């Protein structure tokens, strides 16, 4: 697509706002669906997220303990790319912030 990159993830502000499904839209979808309210109402404080194509993903208790002991709000596990990694995303610096750029966001 040659569509412009969204300036916001809030579709109610801008219908052009989008992120590749299953990636950047998780937080907005979690909130909009009402599931976040249910999650919090049940006293839950932590959420493990993995891409659907990573069926072997499990919670690493060392990472979970780091989050709890160091009061981390967000942690992302990343690995170095290999020659076989031809799709997916990469970390970039954009407007002074670290961002995840997905291949689906690049025309």
């Amino acid at each position: 697509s040659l569509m412009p990159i969204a300036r916001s993830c809030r579709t109610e502000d801008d219908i052009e706002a989008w992120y590749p499904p299953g990636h950047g839209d998780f937080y907005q979808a979690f909130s909009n669906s009402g599931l976040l309210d249910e999650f919090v109402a049940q006293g839950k404080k932590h959420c493990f997220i993995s891409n659907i194509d990573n069926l072997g993903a499990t919670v690493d208790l060392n990472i979970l303990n780091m989050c709890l002991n160091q009061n981390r709000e967000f942690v992302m596990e990343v690995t170095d790319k290999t020659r076989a990694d031809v799709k997916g995303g990469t970390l970039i610096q954009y407007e002074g912030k670290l961002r995840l750029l997905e291949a689906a966001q690049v025309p």
Side-chain angles (χ1 to χ4, degrees):
S1 158
L2 296 176
M3 298 297 292
I5 295 174
R7 300 271 186 242
S8 165
C9 66
R10 296 174 46 88
T11 54
E12 58 272 16
D13 293 341
D14 178 7
I15 195 61
E16 299 293 335
W18 62 275
Y19 290 90
H23 293 86
D25 76 336
F26 170 79
Y27 306 102
Q28 193 71 33
F30 195 44
S31 178
N32 290 346
S33 69
L35 290 173
L36 175 60
D37 292 333
E38 287 182 35
F39 189 87
V40 172
Q42 293 172 8
K44 296 177 181 175
K45 296 182 178 182
H46 300 90
C47 182
F48 173 76
I49 303 167
S50 173
N51 285 358
I52 194 167
D53 58 353
N54 190 352
L55 299 177
T58 59
V59 174
D60 182 324
L61 295 179
N62 292 316
I63 295 173
L64 177 60
N65 281 323
M66 181 196 70
C67 292
L68 297 174
N69 294 329
Q70 296 180 14
N71 199 27
R72 304 285 182 183
E73 291 184 13
F74 179 85
V75 173
M76 180 189 313
E77 181 182 21
V78 297
T79 61
D80 290 332
K81 284 195 170 275
T82 68
R83 287 183 161 184
D85 294 320
V86 294
K87 67 174 211 157
T90 189
L91 296 175
I92 63 167
Q93 284 284 338
Y94 180 74
E95 295 182 349
K97 295 182 180 178
L98 189 62
R99 306 279 183 149
L100 175 63
L101 177 68
E102 292 288 338
Q105 292 172 287
V106 180

